[in-house]
mmCIF file of all heavy atoms in Angstrom:
data_model
loop_
_atom_site.group_PDB
_atom_site.id
_atom_site.type_symbol
_atom_site.label_atom_id
_atom_site.label_comp_id
_atom_site.label_asym_id
_atom_site.label_seq_id
_atom_site.Cartn_x
_atom_site.Cartn_y
_atom_site.Cartn_z
ATOM 1 N N VAL V 29 -90.508 89.267 133.886
ATOM 2 C CA VAL V 29 -91.466 89.684 134.916
ATOM 3 C C VAL V 29 -91.110 88.991 136.240
ATOM 4 O O VAL V 29 -90.367 88.021 136.249
ATOM 5 C CB VAL V 29 -92.926 89.346 134.504
ATOM 6 C CG1 VAL V 29 -93.407 90.276 133.421
ATOM 7 C CG2 VAL V 29 -93.047 87.894 134.065
ATOM 8 N N LYS V 30 -91.689 89.525 137.334
ATOM 9 C CA LYS V 30 -91.244 89.038 138.650
ATOM 10 C C LYS V 30 -92.326 88.283 139.407
ATOM 11 O O LYS V 30 -92.406 88.341 140.620
ATOM 12 C CB LYS V 30 -90.752 90.237 139.478
ATOM 13 C CG LYS V 30 -89.500 90.854 138.870
ATOM 14 C CD LYS V 30 -89.050 92.086 139.627
ATOM 15 C CE LYS V 30 -87.843 92.714 138.934
ATOM 16 N NZ LYS V 30 -87.765 94.146 139.107
ATOM 17 N N TYR V 31 -93.196 87.626 138.668
ATOM 18 C CA TYR V 31 -94.258 86.872 139.334
ATOM 19 C C TYR V 31 -93.702 85.540 139.846
ATOM 20 O O TYR V 31 -92.734 85.018 139.282
ATOM 21 C CB TYR V 31 -95.412 86.634 138.359
ATOM 22 C CG TYR V 31 -96.056 87.924 137.902
ATOM 23 C CD1 TYR V 31 -95.862 88.418 136.619
ATOM 24 C CD2 TYR V 31 -96.839 88.670 138.781
ATOM 25 C CE1 TYR V 31 -96.432 89.609 136.208
ATOM 26 C CE2 TYR V 31 -97.416 89.860 138.378
ATOM 27 C CZ TYR V 31 -97.209 90.332 137.097
ATOM 28 O OH TYR V 31 -97.773 91.521 136.704
ATOM 29 N N PRO V 32 -94.330 84.974 140.883
ATOM 30 C CA PRO V 32 -93.795 83.737 141.451
ATOM 31 C C PRO V 32 -93.857 82.550 140.480
ATOM 32 O O PRO V 32 -93.004 81.664 140.534
ATOM 33 C CB PRO V 32 -94.674 83.467 142.677
ATOM 34 C CG PRO V 32 -95.677 84.559 142.760
ATOM 35 C CD PRO V 32 -95.445 85.524 141.659
ATOM 36 N N GLN V 33 -94.883 82.537 139.604
ATOM 37 C CA GLN V 33 -94.996 81.434 138.640
ATOM 38 C C GLN V 33 -95.013 81.965 137.199
ATOM 39 O O GLN V 33 -95.499 83.072 136.970
ATOM 40 C CB GLN V 33 -96.310 80.654 138.840
ATOM 41 C CG GLN V 33 -96.329 79.725 140.033
ATOM 42 C CD GLN V 33 -97.057 80.352 141.223
ATOM 43 O OE1 GLN V 33 -97.888 81.233 141.044
ATOM 44 N NE2 GLN V 33 -96.729 79.912 142.431
ATOM 45 N N GLY V 34 -94.528 81.144 136.292
ATOM 46 C CA GLY V 34 -94.658 81.470 134.871
ATOM 47 C C GLY V 34 -96.125 81.364 134.471
ATOM 48 O O GLY V 34 -96.935 80.769 135.182
ATOM 49 N N PHE V 35 -96.474 81.926 133.309
ATOM 50 C CA PHE V 35 -97.874 81.878 132.864
ATOM 51 C C PHE V 35 -97.921 82.069 131.353
ATOM 52 O O PHE V 35 -96.964 82.564 130.749
ATOM 53 C CB PHE V 35 -98.701 82.965 133.570
ATOM 54 C CG PHE V 35 -98.224 84.363 133.261
ATOM 55 C CD1 PHE V 35 -98.782 85.115 132.235
ATOM 56 C CD2 PHE V 35 -97.181 84.923 133.986
ATOM 57 C CE1 PHE V 35 -98.312 86.386 131.951
ATOM 58 C CE2 PHE V 35 -96.709 86.195 133.710
ATOM 59 C CZ PHE V 35 -97.288 86.930 132.686
ATOM 60 N N SER V 36 -99.046 81.662 130.766
ATOM 61 C CA SER V 36 -99.256 81.906 129.333
ATOM 62 C C SER V 36 -100.110 83.154 129.189
ATOM 63 O O SER V 36 -101.063 83.349 129.966
ATOM 64 C CB SER V 36 -100.008 80.750 128.691
ATOM 65 O OG SER V 36 -99.270 79.590 128.870
ATOM 66 N N ILE V 37 -99.794 83.965 128.211
ATOM 67 C CA ILE V 37 -100.587 85.177 127.968
ATOM 68 C C ILE V 37 -101.965 84.757 127.444
ATOM 69 O O ILE V 37 -102.049 83.951 126.512
ATOM 70 C CB ILE V 37 -99.852 86.081 126.954
ATOM 71 C CG1 ILE V 37 -98.547 86.579 127.585
ATOM 72 C CG2 ILE V 37 -100.733 87.240 126.525
ATOM 73 C CD1 ILE V 37 -97.663 87.405 126.678
ATOM 74 N N PRO V 38 -103.051 85.266 128.056
ATOM 75 C CA PRO V 38 -104.395 84.878 127.610
ATOM 76 C C PRO V 38 -104.627 85.247 126.143
ATOM 77 O O PRO V 38 -104.108 86.262 125.680
ATOM 78 C CB PRO V 38 -105.331 85.708 128.504
ATOM 79 C CG PRO V 38 -104.512 86.188 129.630
ATOM 80 C CD PRO V 38 -103.087 86.231 129.175
ATOM 81 N N ASP V 39 -105.406 84.404 125.451
ATOM 82 C CA ASP V 39 -105.747 84.748 124.070
ATOM 83 C C ASP V 39 -106.855 85.812 124.089
ATOM 84 O O ASP V 39 -107.343 86.196 125.162
ATOM 85 C CB ASP V 39 -106.140 83.491 123.266
ATOM 86 C CG ASP V 39 -107.396 82.813 123.800
ATOM 87 O OD1 ASP V 39 -108.211 83.485 124.468
ATOM 88 O OD2 ASP V 39 -107.563 81.595 123.555
ATOM 89 N N ASP V 40 -107.250 86.267 122.900
ATOM 90 C CA ASP V 40 -108.211 87.380 122.832
ATOM 91 C C ASP V 40 -109.543 87.048 123.506
ATOM 92 O O ASP V 40 -110.127 87.890 124.190
ATOM 93 C CB ASP V 40 -108.478 87.775 121.372
ATOM 94 C CG ASP V 40 -107.312 88.583 120.803
ATOM 95 O OD1 ASP V 40 -106.418 88.962 121.592
ATOM 96 O OD2 ASP V 40 -107.304 88.817 119.584
ATOM 97 N N ARG V 41 -109.999 85.818 123.313
ATOM 98 C CA ARG V 41 -111.288 85.445 123.914
ATOM 99 C C ARG V 41 -111.201 85.493 125.445
ATOM 100 O O ARG V 41 -112.056 86.058 126.119
ATOM 101 C CB ARG V 41 -111.677 84.029 123.447
ATOM 102 C CG ARG V 41 -113.091 83.612 123.799
ATOM 103 C CD ARG V 41 -113.319 82.124 123.557
ATOM 104 N NE ARG V 41 -112.352 81.287 124.255
ATOM 105 C CZ ARG V 41 -112.415 80.962 125.547
ATOM 106 N NH1 ARG V 41 -113.396 81.421 126.298
ATOM 107 N NH2 ARG V 41 -111.478 80.194 126.100
ATOM 108 N N GLN V 42 -110.120 84.923 125.974
ATOM 109 C CA GLN V 42 -109.950 84.914 127.438
ATOM 110 C C GLN V 42 -109.777 86.339 127.983
ATOM 111 O O GLN V 42 -110.321 86.694 129.030
ATOM 112 C CB GLN V 42 -108.715 84.079 127.815
ATOM 113 C CG GLN V 42 -108.870 82.602 127.502
ATOM 114 C CD GLN V 42 -107.525 81.879 127.512
ATOM 115 O OE1 GLN V 42 -106.497 82.426 127.107
ATOM 116 N NE2 GLN V 42 -107.530 80.637 127.971
ATOM 117 N N ALA V 43 -108.998 87.141 127.246
ATOM 118 C CA ALA V 43 -108.736 88.505 127.707
ATOM 119 C C ALA V 43 -110.015 89.330 127.706
ATOM 120 O O ALA V 43 -110.285 90.090 128.647
ATOM 121 C CB ALA V 43 -107.675 89.160 126.824
ATOM 122 N N LEU V 44 -110.838 89.158 126.654
ATOM 123 C CA LEU V 44 -112.084 89.922 126.577
ATOM 124 C C LEU V 44 -113.043 89.494 127.686
ATOM 125 O O LEU V 44 -113.731 90.321 128.294
ATOM 126 C CB LEU V 44 -112.730 89.739 125.196
ATOM 127 C CG LEU V 44 -113.900 90.665 124.908
ATOM 128 C CD1 LEU V 44 -113.503 92.128 125.034
ATOM 129 C CD2 LEU V 44 -114.476 90.402 123.522
ATOM 130 N N GLN V 45 -113.054 88.191 127.950
ATOM 131 C CA GLN V 45 -113.904 87.679 129.025
ATOM 132 C C GLN V 45 -113.498 88.302 130.374
ATOM 133 O O GLN V 45 -114.339 88.681 131.173
ATOM 134 C CB GLN V 45 -113.737 86.163 129.082
ATOM 135 C CG GLN V 45 -114.948 85.433 129.602
ATOM 136 C CD GLN V 45 -114.863 83.959 129.260
ATOM 137 O OE1 GLN V 45 -114.882 83.595 128.067
ATOM 138 N NE2 GLN V 45 -114.743 83.128 130.276
ATOM 139 N N LEU V 46 -112.201 88.420 130.582
ATOM 140 C CA LEU V 46 -111.691 89.003 131.826
ATOM 141 C C LEU V 46 -112.087 90.481 131.933
ATOM 142 O O LEU V 46 -112.549 90.953 132.978
ATOM 143 C CB LEU V 46 -110.162 88.858 131.837
ATOM 144 C CG LEU V 46 -109.458 89.261 133.112
ATOM 145 C CD1 LEU V 46 -109.500 88.112 134.125
ATOM 146 C CD2 LEU V 46 -107.999 89.633 132.834
ATOM 147 N N ILE V 47 -111.913 91.194 130.821
ATOM 148 C CA ILE V 47 -112.237 92.628 130.809
ATOM 149 C C ILE V 47 -113.736 92.841 131.012
ATOM 150 O O ILE V 47 -114.164 93.715 131.776
ATOM 151 C CB ILE V 47 -111.747 93.248 129.485
ATOM 152 C CG1 ILE V 47 -110.221 93.378 129.534
ATOM 153 C CG2 ILE V 47 -112.403 94.589 129.206
ATOM 154 C CD1 ILE V 47 -109.575 93.669 128.213
ATOM 155 N N ASN V 48 -114.548 92.012 130.355
ATOM 156 C CA ASN V 48 -115.999 92.150 130.523
ATOM 157 C C ASN V 48 -116.415 91.818 131.951
ATOM 158 O O ASN V 48 -117.298 92.463 132.514
ATOM 159 C CB ASN V 48 -116.742 91.258 129.524
ATOM 160 C CG ASN V 48 -116.660 91.830 128.112
ATOM 161 O OD1 ASN V 48 -116.409 93.023 127.940
ATOM 162 N ND2 ASN V 48 -116.850 90.998 127.112
ATOM 163 N N LEU V 49 -115.752 90.826 132.532
ATOM 164 C CA LEU V 49 -116.059 90.483 133.922
ATOM 165 C C LEU V 49 -115.713 91.671 134.825
ATOM 166 O O LEU V 49 -116.493 92.043 135.707
ATOM 167 C CB LEU V 49 -115.279 89.230 134.354
ATOM 168 C CG LEU V 49 -115.388 88.888 135.841
ATOM 169 C CD1 LEU V 49 -116.830 88.556 136.237
ATOM 170 C CD2 LEU V 49 -114.464 87.705 136.196
ATOM 171 N N ALA V 50 -114.542 92.257 134.596
ATOM 172 C CA ALA V 50 -114.132 93.406 135.410
ATOM 173 C C ALA V 50 -115.181 94.516 135.314
ATOM 174 O O ALA V 50 -115.601 95.085 136.332
ATOM 175 C CB ALA V 50 -112.764 93.915 134.961
ATOM 176 N N ALA V 51 -115.619 94.798 134.096
ATOM 177 C CA ALA V 51 -116.633 95.855 133.905
ATOM 178 C C ALA V 51 -117.927 95.479 134.638
ATOM 179 O O ALA V 51 -118.527 96.313 135.326
ATOM 180 C CB ALA V 51 -116.890 96.074 132.422
ATOM 181 N N ASP V 52 -118.337 94.215 134.518
ATOM 182 C CA ASP V 52 -119.572 93.775 135.194
ATOM 183 C C ASP V 52 -119.455 93.903 136.711
ATOM 184 O O ASP V 52 -120.438 94.137 137.405
ATOM 185 C CB ASP V 52 -119.886 92.311 134.851
ATOM 186 C CG ASP V 52 -120.359 92.167 133.409
ATOM 187 O OD1 ASP V 52 -120.664 93.198 132.778
ATOM 188 O OD2 ASP V 52 -120.383 91.020 132.913
ATOM 189 N N LEU V 53 -118.240 93.744 137.226
ATOM 190 C CA LEU V 53 -118.031 93.848 138.677
ATOM 191 C C LEU V 53 -117.970 95.302 139.141
ATOM 192 O O LEU V 53 -117.867 95.575 140.331
ATOM 193 C CB LEU V 53 -116.729 93.126 139.070
ATOM 194 C CG LEU V 53 -116.727 91.591 138.924
ATOM 195 C CD1 LEU V 53 -115.314 91.038 139.121
ATOM 196 C CD2 LEU V 53 -117.693 90.958 139.911
ATOM 197 N N GLY V 54 -117.990 96.233 138.184
ATOM 198 C CA GLY V 54 -117.979 97.661 138.555
ATOM 199 C C GLY V 54 -116.596 98.286 138.497
ATOM 200 O O GLY V 54 -116.408 99.421 138.920
ATOM 201 N N ILE V 55 -115.629 97.532 137.987
ATOM 202 C CA ILE V 55 -114.265 98.069 137.874
ATOM 203 C C ILE V 55 -114.200 98.974 136.645
ATOM 204 O O ILE V 55 -114.654 98.587 135.565
ATOM 205 C CB ILE V 55 -113.258 96.896 137.764
ATOM 206 C CG1 ILE V 55 -113.235 96.126 139.099
ATOM 207 C CG2 ILE V 55 -111.870 97.376 137.359
ATOM 208 C CD1 ILE V 55 -112.517 94.789 139.040
ATOM 209 N N ASN V 56 -113.648 100.168 136.806
ATOM 210 C CA ASN V 56 -113.567 101.068 135.641
ATOM 211 C C ASN V 56 -112.152 101.533 135.335
ATOM 212 O O ASN V 56 -111.943 102.309 134.407
ATOM 213 C CB ASN V 56 -114.479 102.291 135.819
ATOM 214 C CG ASN V 56 -113.867 103.348 136.721
ATOM 215 O OD1 ASN V 56 -113.038 103.044 137.579
ATOM 216 N ND2 ASN V 56 -114.258 104.590 136.523
ATOM 217 N N LEU V 57 -111.172 101.078 136.118
ATOM 218 C CA LEU V 57 -109.787 101.548 135.924
ATOM 219 C C LEU V 57 -108.936 100.411 135.368
ATOM 220 O O LEU V 57 -108.914 99.310 135.932
ATOM 221 C CB LEU V 57 -109.224 102.010 137.272
ATOM 222 C CG LEU V 57 -107.747 102.398 137.306
ATOM 223 C CD1 LEU V 57 -107.466 103.581 136.378
ATOM 224 C CD2 LEU V 57 -107.330 102.757 138.741
ATOM 225 N N ILE V 58 -108.250 100.697 134.270
ATOM 226 C CA ILE V 58 -107.407 99.672 133.653
ATOM 227 C C ILE V 58 -106.033 100.289 133.412
ATOM 228 O O ILE V 58 -105.912 101.404 132.922
ATOM 229 C CB ILE V 58 -108.076 99.115 132.367
ATOM 230 C CG1 ILE V 58 -107.390 97.822 131.913
ATOM 231 C CG2 ILE V 58 -108.122 100.123 131.230
ATOM 232 C CD1 ILE V 58 -108.295 96.922 131.065
#
Side-chain angles (χ1 to χ4, degrees):
V29 287
K30 294 177 183 150
Y31 297 107
Q33 284 100 24
F35 62 94
S36 301
I37 294 176
D39 64 23
D40 284 351
R41 190 191 55 80
Q42 294 164 324
L44 190 57
Q45 208 164 296
L46 187 83
I47 286 167
N48 287 339
L49 173 63
D52 288 347
L53 292 171
I55 293 168
N56 79 334
L57 174 62
I58 194 156

